[in-house]
Amino acid sequence: MKFMKLGSRPDTFYSIEAVRSVSSDVSSDLIIQVKGSRYMLHKFPLLSKCLRLQRICSESPETLQRQIIQLPDFPGGVEAFELCAKFCYGITITLSACNIVEVRCAAEYLQMTDDVEKGNLVYKVEVFFNSCILHGWKDAIVTLQSTKAFPLWSEDLGITSRCIESIASKVSTHPSKVSLMHSHSRRVRDDISCNGAESQRHGPTTKGWWAEDIAELSIDLYWRTMIAIKSSGKIPSNLIGEALQVYASRWLPNISVKVKANKEAAAAASSSDSDSANEVNSKHRLLLESIVSLLPSEKGAASCSFLLKLLKVANILNASSSSKMELARRIALQLEEARVSDLLIPCLSHSTDTLYDVDMIQTILEQFMSQGQSPPMSPPRSKLGIERRRRSRSAEIVDIELQEARRSSSASHSSKLKVAKIVDGYLQEIARDINLPLSKFIAIAETIPSFSRPDHDDLYRAIDIYLKAHPDLNKIERKKLCRILDCKRLSVEACMHAAQNEKLPLRVVVQVLFFEQARAAATGIKVSELPGNIKALLASHDIDPSKPSGPLSTTTTTSNIPADDQWSMSCIKSPKSRISTLQTKAARDDDLDENGMNPDGMGRPSMFKSFCALPTRPKRMFRKLLSINRSGSERN
């Protein structure tokens, strides 16, 4: 830290009974009262340099006793006045970044300018400020922070604005060219005089070297400094985001974990404690909203994890809705970077007893899904029939091309895949909340489009957790919950678990068993080669694993099933009775390959669409099973 010494005489100020005096052969003729303290001084050295004291003394009537002057609104208080008084007596004083603001304000108040005496205190302080303080990194920051005690004086004298401009200009400068790094000066206490040489220093060379140093500023000064830094246009947005994260961690320490488990505890607190807590919350709320306003507009300037932590704090502090929505919009832009733990935002609303703010996550997901163009509901015409295709093309190829069309039409397809995994993990966490309504759970799950979930294993786990945490769900609610699950997209392990899950509706268990057998038949695996536990599960539902025709018939499994639990897929009730119908469907599929439309001008029947939507080769599987059925009937 740089300093400057003024004067050459030794300090002769002393105290007697709370009165400060100066050693002199001449008796004092002036009493000055500054904020409760009394000084017995002399008119000559003070009036020769202080124009304000001259005017006060000239306006007061002369008396034989000591003249009394009261300065109740003196800036800087007793310390600043005593430094000015010592300067008038020629006593040595030391100026540094720690006291230069108060001395400058006091000198301005006493009007110690060159109009009274050449080389007066105002001139000397300004020279030191411009030539030394503003040229040093640490000195500029310390001086700017000290202006907090004298905001109006510092603004009028231009101290605040000059410090901010100095700091902003140094931020865009290479650290090797900046004198006395703030963080380095904490480790090495090197003091340099104005005309001295630079000390040896080993300042950091990273691009964001300045972030930790300016984090010491109060929020109003920090906000103005960051505005000046951003206005220069020389600092990348990601460094701005990192600096804001450093500042937030400095001034919002662990505030997100200070959530009361019982929402009624706040009402039980005393009024004084409540007022104190409200004052602290107001300061933190202002700080948070200021940080949000400083976030760069570019995507990725701040990490998604940091934005979600800010949103948690905003929820706890009851920040403005505009700040919350701004954070939600920014989070949606980079939601694929989020972690499940970051999405668990505590809910502090008195209108609901849920543990987490599911509505805010729903808002983020909706904004995420509305970013890019939504994938088309059906493939383009060029994909279906403008060009002549082979008559033997299977329904699987149609499905694959549909997925490719969707991927090409959405620039954020890969992001949606990542977000789907995150959402499924989030569903598993919130499913444990016994107060979570079924409608909100389903709403979160359905926000993600179907094509973003290649498999439903994680979704099934979330459903299973929700069923265990809510054992009092009735049959209709369990069916509604399981409608979001696609059994065709479950792995073998998930199918094995689902088939034994007593909490699932019976129709879902039948679907799982059917699709597992259908998948085995489509991949060329004989049913008899299935694992023993799968065969046991099939046998428990009266399905003979030795007969491959079993998967496509539900006559044996649905005879004892209540009407409400029977599977609704009419295309698999009876293979023998549906042979002619499915053959007609196959012929119509060939016509569709040629013309792109059905002969009657309508699209493909919805029943056949559902059959062709199986993630296997339906025609080949059906022909294989058909031949097996015929051979079985000939044996009989």
Side-chain angles (χ1 to χ4, degrees):
M1 180 181 293
K2 299 179 181 179
F3 61 91
M4 180 176 69
K5 290 185 177 182
L6 300 176
S8 57
R9 294 178 56 187
D11 189 355
T12 55
F13 271 67
Y14 64 95
S15 298
I16 298 179
E17 297 181 355
V19 176
R20 293 283 287 172
S21 304
V22 60
S23 299
S24 176
D25 296 334
V26 181
S27 61
S28 61
D29 55 357
L30 184 64
I31 298 176
I32 299 179
Q33 293 182 346
V34 180
K35 294 185 177 181
S37 297
R38 175 173 293 191
Y39 287 86
M40 299 183 65
L41 305 174
H42 303 84
K43 289 184 179 180
F44 172 72
L46 291 177
L47 300 185
S48 63
K49 290 182 171 61
C50 302
L51 181 59
R52 187 184 187 95
L53 296 181
Q54 288 183 21
R55 292 175 178 174
I56 294 176
C57 289
S58 63
E59 294 172 359
S60 301
E62 294 185 2
T63 61
L64 298 176
Q65 299 177 349
R66 299 184 181 94
Q67 191 169 4
I68 300 176
I69 299 177
Q70 295 185 357
L71 305 175
D73 57 344
F74 192 86
V78 176
E79 295 80 4
F81 174 78
E82 190 163 318
L83 287 173
C84 293
K86 288 180 179 180
F87 174 79
C88 294
Y89 279 96
I91 297 173
T92 303
I93 62 173
T94 302
L95 299 180
S96 66
C98 297
N99 62 6
I100 190 173
V101 175
E102 62 183 33
V103 172
R104 176 67 180 87
C105 296
E108 187 70 21
Y109 179 88
L110 294 173
Q111 299 178 2
M112 302 175 69
T113 62
D114 282 6
D115 295 337
V116 182
E117 183 179 83
K118 189 175 182 180
N120 211 341
L121 184 58
V122 169
Y123 170 78
K124 293 183 181 297
V125 171
E126 282 292 331
V127 170
F128 175 63
F129 180 73
N130 292 323
S131 61
C132 295
I133 297 297
L134 294 181
H135 284 204
W137 171 254
K138 174 184 177 180
D139 296 322
I141 291 179
V142 173
T143 302
L144 178 61
Q145 185 71 341
S146 63
T147 61
K148 185 71 175 176
F150 318 98
L152 298 179
W153 284 94
S154 300
E155 290 292 343
D156 293 341
L157 297 176
I159 299 175
T160 304
S161 57
R162 283 184 285 174
C163 287
I164 291 175
E165 292 174 1
S166 173
I167 293 172
S169 64
K170 289 176 175 60
V171 166
S172 58
T173 305
H174 193 275
S176 62
K177 299 180 181 179
V178 179
S179 175
L180 282 176
M181 301 291 295
H182 189 190
S183 58
H184 174 72
S185 61
R186 294 176 184 174
R187 298 187 299 266
V188 182
R189 300 290 181 176
D190 293 337
D191 291 339
I192 300 180
S193 60
C194 288
N195 56 357
E198 288 189 1
S199 64
Q200 295 181 353
R201 49 189 172 83
H202 306 279
T205 58
T206 57
K207 293 182 179 179
W209 54 268
W210 47 273
E212 184 178 354
D213 298 337
I214 66 172
E216 300 297 326
L217 298 173
S218 58
I219 184 58
D220 52 343
L221 297 175
Y222 181 83
W223 190 87
R224 293 177 59 181
T225 304
M226 290 299 294
I227 290 295
I229 293 173
K230 293 174 65 177
S231 301
S232 67
K234 299 179 180 180
I235 305 300
S237 59
N238 63 316
L239 295 184
I240 298 291
E242 292 176 3
L244 293 175
Q245 185 169 355
V246 171
Y247 190 80
S249 62
R250 168 69 176 82
W251 293 100
L252 293 173
N254 299 326
I255 190 172
S256 61
V257 300
K258 296 179 180 179
V259 184
K260 294 182 179 180
N262 189 356
K263 297 178 184 179
E264 298 179 356
S270 62
S271 59
S272 59
D273 293 341
S274 178
D275 294 340
S276 177
N278 290 336
E279 183 179 357
V280 173
N281 287 342
S282 298
K283 293 180 179 179
H284 285 148
R285 191 182 304 115
L286 173 62
L287 190 149
L288 173 72
E289 293 175 355
S290 300
I291 292 176
V292 173
S293 67
L294 289 172
L295 289 171
S297 58
E298 293 82 0
K299 176 182 177 181
S303 66
C304 188
S305 177
F306 171 57
L307 295 175
L308 282 165
K309 288 177 181 178
L310 288 181
L311 186 57
K312 284 184 181 180
V313 177
N315 216 33
I316 295 170
L317 297 176
N318 194 23
S320 63
S321 57
S322 58
S323 297
K324 291 182 181 179
M325 292 307 299
E326 176 64 16
L327 287 171
R329 184 188 66 82
R330 292 177 179 273
I331 292 169
L333 292 175
Q334 49 196 98
L335 186 57
E336 66 274 11
E337 304 172 7
R339 297 176 299 181
V340 174
S341 58
D342 296 330
L343 295 177
L344 300 176
I345 301 175
C347 180
L348 302 180
S349 174
H350 292 278
S351 60
T352 178
D353 293 329
T354 57
L355 294 177
Y356 306 109
D357 192 344
V358 181
D359 295 333
M360 181 59 68
I361 300 301
Q362 177 74 15
T363 302
I364 294 174
L365 288 173
E366 290 174 355
Q367 294 198 15
F368 170 78
M369 296 307 302
S370 63
Q371 287 175 19
Q373 181 182 1
S374 299
M377 296 305 294
S378 59
R381 287 276 303 213
S382 60
K383 293 291 183 182
L384 288 178
I386 294 181
E387 297 180 2
R388 186 175 183 84
R389 284 166 171 76
R390 294 182 302 170
R391 297 172 61 89
S392 61
R393 186 177 62 178
S394 67
E396 181 189 13
I397 299 178
V398 176
D399 189 67
I400 292 175
E401 291 188 359
L402 172 60
Q403 299 295 336
E404 290 177 352
R406 286 174 169 175
R407 292 174 186 175
S408 62
S409 64
S410 178
S412 59
H413 179 75
S414 60
S415 298
K416 289 185 173 67
L417 292 176
K418 296 178 182 178
V419 170
K421 297 290 291 183
I422 297 171
V423 170
D424 289 346
Y426 176 75
L427 288 172
Q428 295 176 31
E429 293 295 331
I430 65 174
R432 297 177 171 86
D433 183 6
I434 59 176
N435 296 318
L436 179 66
L438 178 63
S439 58
K440 291 189 177 182
F441 182 89
I442 295 176
I444 294 291
E446 290 181 341
T447 306
I448 302 301
S450 177
F451 69 88
S452 296
R453 284 191 179 99
D455 65 82
H456 279 212
D457 283 13
D458 291 336
L459 182 60
Y460 168 71
R461 293 187 186 96
I463 293 175
D464 183 50
I465 294 173
Y466 191 88
L467 289 172
K468 292 178 180 178
H470 302 78
D472 54 346
L473 291 179
N474 58 41
K475 184 184 298 184
I476 297 176
E477 291 173 333
R478 286 188 289 116
K479 286 182 180 179
K480 187 176 181 181
L481 173 62
C482 292
R483 284 197 191 103
I484 62 178
L485 185 65
D486 189 351
C487 298
K488 300 187 298 294
R489 302 188 185 186
L490 293 178
S491 64
V492 176
E493 293 78 8
C495 286
M496 291 168 55
H497 187 279
Q500 303 176 77
N501 195 339
E502 297 179 356
K503 294 180 174 58
L504 293 177
L506 188 54
R507 62 189 298 179
V508 177
V509 176
V510 174
Q511 285 181 346
V512 169
L513 294 172
F514 166 74
F515 285 119
E516 183 57 32
Q517 274 196 298
R519 178 163 48 193
T523 54
I525 302 176
K526 294 182 180 180
V527 181
S528 58
E529 297 176 356
L530 293 174
N533 49 8
I534 291 293
K535 292 192 291 184
L537 291 174
L538 296 176
S540 66
H541 290 274
D542 297 331
I543 300 177
D544 189 358
S546 62
K547 295 182 180 181
S549 59
L552 291 180
S553 177
T554 58
T555 56
T556 58
T557 58
T558 60
S559 58
N560 298 324
I561 298 176
D564 292 341
D565 283 334
Q566 290 184 8
W567 199 15
S568 61
M569 288 188 62
S570 59
C571 63
I572 61 168
K573 286 183 178 179
S574 176
K576 186 175 181 180
S577 63
R578 302 294 292 173
I579 290 176
S580 59
T581 304
L582 291 176
Q583 286 177 342
T584 304
K585 302 296 184 183
R588 293 176 67 180
D589 180 49
D590 292 338
D591 294 338
L592 182 64
D593 288 339
E594 291 181 2
N595 304 320
M597 297 292 291
N598 283 338
D600 56 359
M602 301 298 291
R604 184 178 301 201
S606 59
M607 186 185 301
F608 194 57
K609 282 182 179 180
S610 62
F611 184 79
C612 292
L614 293 174
T616 58
R617 301 175 185 261
K619 294 183 182 179
R620 294 177 56 187
M621 178 187 75
F622 178 71
R623 288 168 185 161
K624 180 177 179 181
L625 294 174
L626 222 129
S627 62
I628 296 175
N629 282 335
R630 289 177 180 173
S631 61
S633 61
E634 290 176 358
R635 293 173 188 170
N636 296 332

